[in-house]
Amino acid sequence: MRTVEWSPQGIRLIDQRQLPQKVEITVCRTVADVAAAIRTMQVRGAPAIGACAAYGMALGAQLSAEASSTTLLAVLEEHAEVLAATRPTAVNLTWALARVKKAAQAAAVLGADAIRSAALAEAEAIAEADVRANRSIGAHGAPLIADGDSILTHCNAGGLACVEFGTALGVIRAAHSEEKTIHVLVDETRPFLQGARLTAWELSRLGIPHTLITDNMAGHFMQRGNVQKVIVGADRIAANGDVANKIGTYSLAVLARHHGIPFYVAAPTSTVDLNIETGRDIPIEERSADEVRRIGGNVIAPADTPAAHPAFDVTPHRLVTAFVTETGVLAAPYGPVLSKAVASAQRMQPITGEQPSRLSATPRERVEV
Ligand code: MRU
């Protein structure tokens, strides 16, 4: 199944907190469930939380009995506020909410049921576009990988972080499917262990050779000549190309520059925030210090030890060798190329509110609760 998908019962998603021990599907039946799933990281990764929030809006519209367009739009506005407050760094979240709100507003003249249909159609369009974007990122990025490369990645930018396929891991998958002999070094990614729990799990299922390392081993392996490329995902890319991604990414970029190793960022254009000039303006999520004082629920520090937990850091654009987006591989100067890529991706999008073929978003298909 996809990481997140619509079903008549509600929004189905893989509960990523349970991996790799078990694959558990959870169903969000209310907007509050969706917000909790994002906040507690049952679903995580920038594109996945964007799609999930979009489906959350569709769910909220379906569950509301409002007959008037104006009132239903107001209800959706409240849902958008709740969903937007879940996690601050990944711009895909607010980007997806804005898209669904816009589609709903455009349909309002036709009545409340039209809003419901439009919200669901837009959420499906966002999910489908993410899948297409990921496949294109893979196709554009695979030529960057040479036969025999050992590639280091951080966090999880695989199918689990998106609707399916993945961004940074999408490039690796695409290179592997071209039958290149590659090896992946997987940073465990403290404190939430997305690398150890999720990326290693995905690579193992895909049969891609890999080795798990702790985050502090990266420099050692680079120094020994065991890393030819670094590829990571992104949560938000500022207009100048500064990149917010999982905490630890910046250190990797500095290490890669020191060792002359290319450092690639693979992300869909939905992760580019042209409203933010530089990385200084990107809000960095602060998560609970308990996630640092514990590993997998086990206490590893005195309970009263002060601990810090910024969940993301910002890599300055000058450390990025190139961006791999659905529009192609982008080299500096990033200011103009990123805005051109966003514009070209927007032209490739289906018209807002257009019904995707695998969905009939009629009021008859409202969720069964
Ligand atoms: O806190 P998370 O797990 O949501 O952080 C995820 C990342 O940092 C990913 O690298 C990023 O979202 C890109 S996913 C394609």
Side-chain angles (χ1 to χ4, degrees):
M1 76 168 271
R2 290 180 166 186
T3 301
V4 48
E5 63 188 18
W6 179 263
S7 84
Q9 289 74 39
I11 302 162
R12 280 163 55 87
L13 44 95
I14 298 171
D15 184 348
Q16 300 189 31
R17 297 170 313 176
Q18 310 297 333
L19 288 169
Q21 281 83 3
K22 56 180 172 185
V23 181
E24 200 171 280
I25 309 302
T26 185
V27 181
C28 298
R29 293 170 199 277
T30 66
V31 177
D33 288 349
V34 177
I38 297 173
R39 197 178 319 105
T40 62
M41 315 253 287
Q42 289 175 53
V43 59
R44 33 67 48 201
I49 63 177
C52 190
Y55 281 130
M57 292 286 279
L59 182 64
Q62 303 270 319
L63 292 175
S64 165
E66 294 299 345
S68 120
S69 286
T70 316
T71 342
L72 184 53
L73 286 179
V75 167
L76 284 181
E77 191 60 50
E78 280 169 28
H79 290 327
E81 274 172 33
V82 169
L83 292 164
T86 53
R87 296 195 73 192
T89 303
V91 75
N92 304 61
L93 179 63
T94 40
W95 168 86
L97 293 170
R99 269 191 59 168
V100 178
K101 279 199 295 185
K102 194 171 162 204
Q105 279 153 6
V109 64
L110 300 171
D113 278 342
I115 292 178
R116 292 184 182 94
S117 296
L120 183 50
E122 192 66 6
E124 286 283 15
I126 286 169
E128 294 301 330
D130 186 59
V131 175
R132 282 196 304 275
N134 279 215
R135 298 264 169 192
S136 299
I137 288 169
H140 289 303
L144 298 171
I145 310 292
D147 199 39
D149 272 357
S150 177
I151 307 142
L152 189 133
T153 192
H154 190 66
C155 194
N156 172 266
L160 287 166
C162 306
V163 175
E164 63 176 38
F165 201 71
T167 56
L169 230 51
V171 172
I172 289 168
R173 285 175 77 156
H176 176 73
S177 64
E178 287 176 357
E179 303 199 349
K180 286 176 183 157
T181 303
I182 55 168
H183 184 268
V184 185
L185 282 175
V186 181
D187 257 3
E188 72 171 340
T189 318
R190 272 279 284 150
F192 218 73
L193 305 177
Q194 289 94 330
R197 296 187 303 104
L198 309 175
T199 302
W201 182 77
E202 285 197 45
L203 289 170
S204 156
R205 282 167 58 109
L206 293 164
I208 301 177
H210 60 283
T211 302
L212 177 64
I213 61 171
T214 60
D215 302 331
N216 49 1
M217 295 176 189
H220 168 78
F221 284 110
M222 289 185 188
Q223 194 180 44
R224 294 274 163 116
N226 295 133
V227 180
Q228 282 71 51
K229 311 274 153 61
V230 178
I231 306 185
V232 297
D235 285 83
R236 194 183 298 223
I237 301 167
N240 71 342
D242 291 350
V243 178
N245 192 49
K246 181 51 55 193
I247 191 76
T249 303
Y250 169 50
S251 323
L252 283 180
V254 173
L255 278 170
R257 175 57 57 95
H258 178 76
H259 290 94
I261 298 166
F263 179 89
Y264 297 115
V265 175
T269 53
S270 54
T271 306
V272 179
D273 185 352
L274 294 176
N275 297 316
I276 277 187
E277 253 173 65
T278 76
R280 270 194 311 277
D281 300 324
I282 300 178
I284 300 295
E285 177 181 8
E286 283 288 333
R287 293 189 65 84
S288 159
D290 257 338
E291 290 176 356
V292 175
R293 283 188 290 255
R294 292 165 185 265
I295 296 186
N298 297 317
V299 176
I300 57 154
D304 57 354
T305 301
H309 187 184
F312 300 93
D313 59 25
V314 175
T315 298
H317 61 93
R318 63 180 184 282
L319 297 179
V320 177
T321 307
F323 287 94
V324 188
T325 73
E326 72 272 31
T327 66
V329 177
L330 312 178
Y334 295 127
V337 296
L338 284 170
S339 57
K340 212 170 136 199
V342 169
S344 114
Q346 272 164 3
R347 282 196 299 275
M348 278 153 38
Q349 288 287 317
I351 300 154
T352 304
E354 188 179 293
Q355 299 271 335
S357 55
R358 80 184 186 90
L359 174 86
S360 162
T362 63
R364 279 190 306 284
E365 289 196 37
R366 283 190 199 173
V367 266
E368 295 156 11
V369 282

